[in-house]
Amino acid sequence: MKRKAYNSLAVKALGAVILGIVGCFIVMVSCFKFYSIILYKNAMSWDNEYNILFLSFIFIVTISSFILIFLLLVNRRLKYFKYIINSVKKIDSLKYLSQLEEKGNDEFTELAQNINIMNKRLQDTFMKEKEIEDSKYELITSVSHDLKTPLTSIIGYSDLLNKHGYEDELTRDEYISIVYNKSLRLKDLVNELFEYTKLTGNDVKLDLKRFNVSALINQIAGESIIDFNEKDVELVLINPYKELYSNIDVKLISRVFENIIKNAEKYSISHSTFKIIVESSEEYIEIHFMNKCKDIEEIEINKVFEKFYRLDSARSSEKEGSGLGLTISKKIIELHHGILEAGKQGDNLVFNIRLDRI
């Protein structure tokens, strides 16, 4: 709110002084008028001592009237200033202040506005810190659960192997295979946790370079065809562009494509089609991933990018995953100032990526 010059405290104080002087002058004239009448009627009986006393009385009344008028004029703003001071003092016992009332249009009001702005930032910082603390607690709880499952299996089967608790070499080899696979699973969980922690830090640095996104999606999709064929899912890539350039961190964007494609591989229904559609405009590159999912009505689209959310809703599902892949993907796209969104189209789960084209 722009403050005009005549609303400044200096102008208002000057106005209060002028009004006080005017009021004081009126009081003084009235007193002298009253005094002259008495002096005229009692001129022969009044001596100099009483005249001086009466003049002193007039002086005191005049000064007192000036102070009283001045205080009455500035009292409302002084009360408002005291209200601001008392509100700010509460910061010692509160995380942040309540919104200050913005009365008037002078420096006190401007002070209240600035305090409100500072208070809003303080409140946002406090809420962000609380969110980080809650997120850390959630992270520790969820990761502990995910790490505990393979770790328990590793310890259990390692103990059987150590105590020769197997019937024959075939059983022994099976136990060794389980331990190995669970160890790989544990490694993947730790790596994803490390990557998530790194990407959510304040010192993330992208290795940006001009790169052909069209060629990149062709390569990653081509490498995934065999995996989809094994799941009886047909991968269809619709990409009419040979060259689509964007300023990206190739390693991280590749991770995004791989995460979404791997997600489709896990949750696509057998004998269905997984489509990757590439579109472009002068400003943006858009890539759409569509796969037919089982029980898609149970998938909460607004939660798919939350940490540890799994599309099958069951943490004990055979489709093992950390629940961090899509969260990591969204963070990477945001770091590139792009957009990653999820949606439903009939029985299809759809992920849309938009990157700036250069």
Side-chain angles (χ1 to χ4, degrees), residues 213 217 257 276-279 285-289 351-353:
V213 176
I217 192 64
F257 294 159
I276 303 175
I277 304 171
V278 181
E279 297 178 344
I285 300 170
E286 295 186 356
I287 306 172
H288 312 286
F289 302 84
F351 288 96
N352 301 312
I353 293 177

Side-chain angles (χ1 to χ4, degrees), residues 307-356:
K307 298 183 294 295
F308 311 112
Y309 180 81
R310 298 251 287 274
L311 298 181
D312 52 25
S313 301
R315 302 196 67 82
S316 60
S317 170
E318 293 178 359
K319 303 180 183 68
E320 290 185 340
S322 67
L324 287 172
L326 292 177
T327 307
I328 290 171
S329 298
K330 188 171 181 65
K331 183 62 179 178
I332 291 172
I333 295 298
E334 288 175 348
L335 289 171
H336 284 79
H337 305 291
I339 296 174
L340 172 55
E341 297 175 330
K344 297 178 186 178
Q345 288 184 9
D347 293 334
N348 290 309
L349 177 64
V350 182
F351 288 96
N352 301 312
I353 293 177
R354 190 176 76 182
L355 295 169
D356 291 333

Side-chain angles (χ1 to χ4, degrees), residues 39-52:
L39 182 62
Y40 176 76
K41 291 182 178 181
N42 302 283
M44 301 304 296
S45 59
W46 284 68
D47 55 23
N48 291 335
E49 181 180 352
Y50 287 102
N51 289 339
I52 293 173

Side-chain angles (χ1 to χ4, degrees), residues 245-309:
Y245 286 93
S246 182
N247 201 28
I248 61 172
D249 185 311
V250 180
K251 183 178 178 181
L252 292 181
I253 292 297
S254 298
R255 177 66 190 274
V256 173
F257 294 159
E258 290 169 356
N259 282 347
I260 296 176
I261 291 174
K262 182 63 68 175
N263 188 78
E265 181 190 331
K266 285 181 183 179
Y267 298 106
S268 290
I269 298 173
S270 296
H271 309 294
S272 64
T273 301
F274 169 51
K275 290 184 179 180
I276 303 175
I277 304 171
V278 181
E279 297 178 344
S280 178
S281 64
E282 292 184 0
E283 296 181 358
Y284 303 112
I285 300 170
E286 295 186 356
I287 306 172
H288 312 286
F289 302 84
M290 302 174 62
N291 67 293
K292 196 170 185 178
C293 273
K294 183 180 180 181
D295 300 326
I296 191 170
E297 64 277 359
E298 297 179 7
I299 297 174
E300 299 180 63
I301 289 298
N302 59 330
K303 291 186 177 180
V304 295
F305 296 113
E306 291 184 3
K307 298 183 294 295
F308 311 112
Y309 180 81

